[in-house]
């Protein structure tokens, strides 16, 4: 009897169609739209396998997609079994196994946590062969499968067209990556007694790091006569060797791997080049024989002249700890906390702005002398890696000009981080922030993540992340990696928002609950970014007359399971005049007096504030229009009068009665 045919998994969330390939048809990939087909590995070759027995056979090769930045980061997984198992959980099915169902699962680190992503194994092909990434041996499929996982995370293959090696390294390791500008080092070394000193120390440091972490180099603008290197192209530094020249001099050679898979360099250290006449023939034979497809040797001086930038991923131990690039110490202690810059509240801008003290603030307690790395990671406003990638010009506290490619990174703000040492936790904030910090980023940069390194003695420190511009909203994750024991805690602003579910401050409060819903085509208008925003439900809020502004807490809670939350937020608008039962047509076009944004994936968001007497409208919204859901708005207003006590010795404070109001929407 014939065995039943197994039905293979088809991923409905990332289908084998144009929607998974393209986002805007704005890249050269669009010209292949009609020719790309989707095939499973067993339809591409006779004996597919996930990994190669020989690491060289699993080497990365770039296809039609402009994702060299991602492929360079993927090479880090070949240096560490720990990292490979973290991204590819062991026990994946084989194509020849009875457990094979056409699906694979990988893990990608996203904003503080590892996320499992499952895909089917249908891969884009041209003329029956893989058209995007592939390994040196085309029957090895770990790389194209991981590329598909990453494309699913970021929305489409086209979204991977441009990016930063450092961002992909963080996504694949959960660690840190540093970018070193060779031009900046050259500029700094020209001001020192020994020209080239900083650059050469950089290459010597790479020599000590080559076996422990991934090293990548990039060309941002090719020099005259060297256009074969490409523009905005990333390479892998696969080896470094220090040789003794025939004249007794030291020669440092770097082996560069081009993800394009072809040897594109015609310098003096090419095969048959004049550079080899300076070393022993045995060294020449050994180094040329180890070259794989797409690799070539360059000398240190060539490297510094022809490449613009180096990216280095922090080594990660088998125990999962980062290692310092500088001291080699294990950074065994980690802390992280989320935060947000909110317009009108905590988006105070850089130190040039008077609002800088309003930025989010964190206590960092250091318990022993420590090497500390502190990093600010931005959450992109739009999940689009391709728009978050190209090189961005750094922005100093005197605003610098942007690079021509900076328009590709509009998802990110220019951010920085500064740290002050304080003697105790009760400090005068203006006084502390007027003194020089003990550590700080050299400028505000348009990067997804910025970080700084410092040696800290025991005590309390104040950490302040900031955007360059004031009133620019964004969310971030503050991460701290340390060789010694540290603790991190957020400083709550006196006028800040209580955490969801937090009790109201002491006193008498009148509470109103209003129920509503967002309905497609009716009341689901989305955020203020969309013209449909005025169609959102509006709820009246009346603040009675009194000796001054009243303390009001507005809470929006959506009725959903925690894993099915939509991003929600709200604005409060003041109604002019004596009215206020209905919003005037132009009211929602004005600036709100209170905002709970950016929209958050949470069941509940809340704001505590002080409002003058008058009529207001509360407008709850989801981030995107036509997102359906039910919700409750709770408005609690503090009653400013002396508490009434009974005549009994143990009398209780009398509270105002709460009531429920239901509004149909």
């Amino acid at each position: 009897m014939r065995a039943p045919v197994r039905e293979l998994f088809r991923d409905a969330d990332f289908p084998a169609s144009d929607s998974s390939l393209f986002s805007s048809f704005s890249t050269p990939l669009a010209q292949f739209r009609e020719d790309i087909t989707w095939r499973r590995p067993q339809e591409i070759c006779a004996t597919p396998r996930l990994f190669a027995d020989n690491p060289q056979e699993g080497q990365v090769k770039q296809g039609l997609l402009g994702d060299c930045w991602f492929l360079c980061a993927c090479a880090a997984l070949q240096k560490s079994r720990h990292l490979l198992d973290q991204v590819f959980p062991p026990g994946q099915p084989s194509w020849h196994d009875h457990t094979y169902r056409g699906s694979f699962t990988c893990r990608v680190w996203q904003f503080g946590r590892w996320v499992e992503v499952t895909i089917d194994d249908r891969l884009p092909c041209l003329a029956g062969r893989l058209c995007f990434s592939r390994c040196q041996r085309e029957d090895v499929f770990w790389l194209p499968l991981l590329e598909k996982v990453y494309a699913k995370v970021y929305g489409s293959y086209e979204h991977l067209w441009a990016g930063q090696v450092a961002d992909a390294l963080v996504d694949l390791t959960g660690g840190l990556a540093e970018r070193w500008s060779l031009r900046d080092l050259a500029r700094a070394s020209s001001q020192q007694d020994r020209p080239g000193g900083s650059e050469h120390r950089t290459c010597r440091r790479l020599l000590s790091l080559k076996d422990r972490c991934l090293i990548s180099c990039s060309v941002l603008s090719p020099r005259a006569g060297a256009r074969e290197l490409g523009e905005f192209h990333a390479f892998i530094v696969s080896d470094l060797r220090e040789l003794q020249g025939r004249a007794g001099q030291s020669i440092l050679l770097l082996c560069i791997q081009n993800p394009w898979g072809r040897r594109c360099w015609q310098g003096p250290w090419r095969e048959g080049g004049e550079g080899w006449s300076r070393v022993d023939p045995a060294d020449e034979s050994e180094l040329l024989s180890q070259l794989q497809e797409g690799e070539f040797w360059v000398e240190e001086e060539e490297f510094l002249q022809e490449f613009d930038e180096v990216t280095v991923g922090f080594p990660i131990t088998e125990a999962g700890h980062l290692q310092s690039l500088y001291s080699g110490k294990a950074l065994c202690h980690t802390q992280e906390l989320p935060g947000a810059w909110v317009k009108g509240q905590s988006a105070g801008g850089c130190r040039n702005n008077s609002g800088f003290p309003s930025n989010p603030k964190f206590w960092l307690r250091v318990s022993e002398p420590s090497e500390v790395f502190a990093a600010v990671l931005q959450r992109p406003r739009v999940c689009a890696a391709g728009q978050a990638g190209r090189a961005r010009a750094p922005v100093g506290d005197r605003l610098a000009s942007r690079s021509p490619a900076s328009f590709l990174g509009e998802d990110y703000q220019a951010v920085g981080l500064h740290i002050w040492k304080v003697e105790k936790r009760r400090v005068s904030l203006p006084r502390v922030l007027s003194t020089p910090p003990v550590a700080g980023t050299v400028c505000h940069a348009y990067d997804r993540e910025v970080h700084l390194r410092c040696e800290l003695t025991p005590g309390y420190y104040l950490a302040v992340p900031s955007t360059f511009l004031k009133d620019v909203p964004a969310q971030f994750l503050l991460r701290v990696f340390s060789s010694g024991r540290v603790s991190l805690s957020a400083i709550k602003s006196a006028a800040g928002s209580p955490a969801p579910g937090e009790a109201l401050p002491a006193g008498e409060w009148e509470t109103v609950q209003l129920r509503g819903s967002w309905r497609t085509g009716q009341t689901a208008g989305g955020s203020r970014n969309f013209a449909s925003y005025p169609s959102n439900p509006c709820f009246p809020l009346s603040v009675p007359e009194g000796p001054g502004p009243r303390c009001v807490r507005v809470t929006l809670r959506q009725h959903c399971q925690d894993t099915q939350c939509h991003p929600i937020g709200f604005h409060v608008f003041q109604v002019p005049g004596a009215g206020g039962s209905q919003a005037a047509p132009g009211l929602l076009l004005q600036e709100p007096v209170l905002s709970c944004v950016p929209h958050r994936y949470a069941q509940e968001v809340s704001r505590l504030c002080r409002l003058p007497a008058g009529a207001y409208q509360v407008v709850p919204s989801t981030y995107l229009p036509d997102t359906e859901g039910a919700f409750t708005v709770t408005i609690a207003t503090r009653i400013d009068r002396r508490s009434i006590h009974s005549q009994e010795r143990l009398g209780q404070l009398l509270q105002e009665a709460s009531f429920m109001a239901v509004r149909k929407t």
Side-chain angles (χ1 to χ4, degrees), residues 324-343:
S324 169
L325 291 176
Y326 300 85
S327 68
K329 293 179 182 177
L331 307 175
C332 301
H333 303 272
T334 62
Q335 298 278 314
E336 61 182 43
L337 283 175
W341 294 288
V342 180
K343 183 178 180 180

Side-chain angles (χ1 to χ4, degrees), residues 420-627:
W420 283 264
K421 176 76 181 287
V422 295
E423 296 303 319
K424 52 186 178 180
R425 290 187 65 168
R426 300 179 69 87
V427 297
S428 167
L429 192 60
R431 186 179 305 145
V432 168
L433 298 185
S434 65
T435 62
V438 296
T441 50
V442 295
C443 65
H444 284 68
Y446 283 96
D447 290 323
R448 189 177 77 168
E449 186 169 46
V450 298
H451 73 266
L452 56 84
R453 172 189 177 269
C454 46
E455 298 276 355
L456 299 182
T457 57
Y460 282 104
Y461 294 83
L462 180 68
V464 184
S466 62
T467 56
F468 179 77
L469 298 175
K470 186 179 179 182
D471 285 336
V472 173
Q475 291 179 290
F476 65 86
L477 184 69
L478 178 62
R479 302 197 289 160
V480 175
F481 302 86
S482 174
S483 62
R485 289 175 292 121
V486 294
S487 62
L488 185 68
S489 59
I491 301 176
K492 292 185 178 180
S493 171
S497 304
E502 184 178 320
L504 291 168
E508 299 181 66
W509 294 80
E510 180 183 76
T511 304
V512 178
Q513 287 188 324
L514 305 156
R515 291 178 178 170
S517 61
W518 297 291
R519 294 285 177 249
T520 299
Q522 302 175 41
T523 58
S527 66
R528 295 182 73 207
N529 294 340
F530 300 94
S532 55
Y533 176 76
S535 65
N536 280 300
C538 295
F539 298 93
L541 164 61
S542 179
V543 177
E545 295 287 345
R550 293 292 181 95
C551 196
V552 177
R553 174 175 164 180
V554 180
T555 303
L556 170 63
R557 182 177 182 83
Q558 58 178 318
H559 304 164
C560 66
Q561 296 181 2
D562 188 51
T563 57
Q564 299 175 338
C565 291
H566 301 301
I568 58 172
F570 61 82
H571 297 281
V572 178
F573 298 87
Q574 186 164 19
V575 180
S581 59
Q582 296 293 331
L587 177 65
L588 302 191
L589 301 178
Q590 301 177 8
E591 283 298 308
V593 296
L594 173 69
S595 297
C596 186
V597 290
H599 289 66
R600 290 175 48 204
Y601 283 95
Q603 279 195 314
E604 185 175 295
V605 294
S606 183
R607 278 296 320 278
L608 181 66
C609 63
R610 298 184 69 84
L611 294 176
Y616 300 84
Q617 291 284 340
V618 181
V619 183
S621 64
T622 56
Y623 179 73
L624 294 175
D626 292 335
T627 303

Side-chain angles (χ1 to χ4, degrees), residues 154 167 377-382 384-385 387-389 392 402 408-415 445-449 472 474:
Y154 283 87
D167 294 345
L377 173 69
Q378 296 186 68
R379 183 193 288 275
R381 288 172 292 180
V382 178
Q387 295 179 356
R392 296 282 255 157
R402 298 184 183 182
L408 289 167
E410 296 301 333
D411 262 351
Y412 299 121
Q413 303 299 334
V415 299
Y446 283 96
D447 290 323
R448 189 177 77 168
E449 186 169 46
V472 173

Side-chain angles (χ1 to χ4, degrees), residues 343-361:
K343 183 178 180 180
Q345 301 166 46
S346 59
C350 69
R351 295 175 68 200
N352 289 345
N353 293 302
S354 60
F356 179 78
S358 67
N359 280 301
K361 293 169 283 293

Side-chain angles (χ1 to χ4, degrees), residues 22-98:
F22 306 103
S23 57
S24 61
F25 299 94
S26 59
T27 67
L29 185 61
Q31 64 186 296
F32 301 101
R33 178 180 182 180
E34 302 298 329
D35 302 315
I36 292 178
T37 59
W38 298 76
R39 297 190 179 190
R40 297 186 189 268
Q42 65 270 37
E43 298 170 333
I44 300 172
C45 66
T47 56
R49 49 192 174 136
L50 194 57
F51 299 108
D53 298 327
N54 180 352
Q56 296 295 344
E57 295 177 347
Q59 244 182 4
V60 304
K61 290 186 68 175
Q62 186 179 352
L64 296 176
L65 194 61
D67 61 348
C68 55
W69 59 283
F70 170 68
L71 301 184
C72 288
C74 287
L77 304 183
Q78 297 177 297
K79 287 182 172 285
S80 167
R81 186 72 203 185
H82 168 79
L83 290 179
L84 188 62
D85 288 345
Q86 179 71 67
V87 173
F88 272 94
Q92 300 277 353
S94 165
W95 285 274
H96 310 289
D97 204 8
H98 71 280

Side-chain angles (χ1 to χ4, degrees), residues 82-368:
H82 168 79
L83 290 179
L84 188 62
D85 288 345
Q86 179 71 67
V87 173
F88 272 94
Q92 300 277 353
S94 165
W95 285 274
H96 310 289
D97 204 8
H98 71 280
T99 60
Y100 169 71
R101 291 293 182 270
S103 66
F104 287 84
T105 298
C106 294
R107 299 191 190 104
V108 180
W109 191 88
Q110 293 283 283
F111 205 70
R113 64 191 182 98
W114 286 96
V115 178
E116 285 200 346
V117 183
T118 298
I119 56 166
D120 65 38
D121 59 357
R122 295 177 292 175
L123 299 169
C125 294
L126 272 176
R129 297 181 63 192
L130 292 170
C131 61
F132 298 149
S133 74
R134 59 189 183 277
C135 294
Q136 197 79 18
R137 280 284 300 264
E138 293 191 31
D139 60 348
V140 177
F141 284 91
W142 72 270
L143 182 64
L145 289 173
L146 182 56
E147 182 184 51
K148 183 173 183 178
V149 164
Y150 207 62
K152 181 176 179 178
V153 169
Y154 283 87
S156 71
Y157 279 95
E158 196 172 44
H159 271 142
L160 306 186
W161 193 267
Q164 289 284 7
V165 177
D167 294 345
L169 273 172
V170 172
D171 288 342
L172 296 179
T173 67
L176 291 174
E178 283 199 359
R179 292 165 54 202
W180 303 335
S181 168
L182 297 178
R183 290 183 177 181
D184 288 349
L185 290 172
R187 192 178 302 116
S189 66
S190 66
Q191 301 172 0
Q192 299 176 355
D193 294 335
R194 290 182 301 162
S198 296
E199 298 170 277
H200 289 270
R201 283 196 296 273
T202 295
C203 288
R204 299 293 159 176
R205 190 190 303 172
L206 295 180
L207 184 63
S208 67
L209 292 171
K210 68 170 185 173
D211 296 323
R212 296 192 291 136
C213 57
L214 178 107
I215 304 170
S216 173
C217 55
S218 301
V219 174
L220 304 182
S221 54
R223 317 297 189 270
R227 295 196 175 275
E228 60 267 29
L229 289 180
E231 185 177 10
F232 292 111
H233 190 44
F235 302 77
I236 300 164
V237 180
S238 54
D239 197 8
L240 291 94
R241 297 289 290 271
E242 190 168 22
L243 305 179
Q244 190 77 18
R246 289 184 172 184
Q249 78 278 30
S250 175
I251 299 174
L252 181 63
L253 296 180
L254 298 91
C255 184
I256 310 298
Q257 179 189 344
N258 183 0
W260 287 337
R262 61 179 184 267
R263 295 178 189 173
C264 61
W265 182 241
Q266 296 299 315
W269 295 89
R270 68 189 184 279
E271 191 170 355
E274 62 272 20
W276 298 106
S277 62
R278 297 165 51 195
V279 300
D280 189 276
D283 289 331
E284 175 187 3
S285 177
E286 178 195 352
L287 296 189
L288 288 177
S289 65
Q290 78 174 55
L291 289 179
Q292 301 295 313
E293 186 177 359
E295 290 184 333
F296 55 94
W297 290 100
V298 296
E299 193 178 358
E300 182 179 13
E301 293 292 344
E302 288 179 272
F303 178 75
L304 296 171
Q305 291 171 8
E306 303 301 337
F307 293 90
D308 296 286
E309 190 174 79
V310 169
T311 299
V312 184
F314 278 53
I316 297 180
T317 67
E318 291 301 313
H321 301 307
L322 293 191
Q323 277 186 298
S324 169
L325 291 176
Y326 300 85
S327 68
K329 293 179 182 177
L331 307 175
C332 301
H333 303 272
T334 62
Q335 298 278 314
E336 61 182 43
L337 283 175
W341 294 288
V342 180
K343 183 178 180 180
Q345 301 166 46
S346 59
C350 69
R351 295 175 68 200
N352 289 345
N353 293 302
S354 60
F356 179 78
S358 67
N359 280 301
K361 293 169 283 293
F362 298 84
W363 285 123
L364 176 63
R365 183 178 183 181
V366 179
S367 301
E368 54 191 320

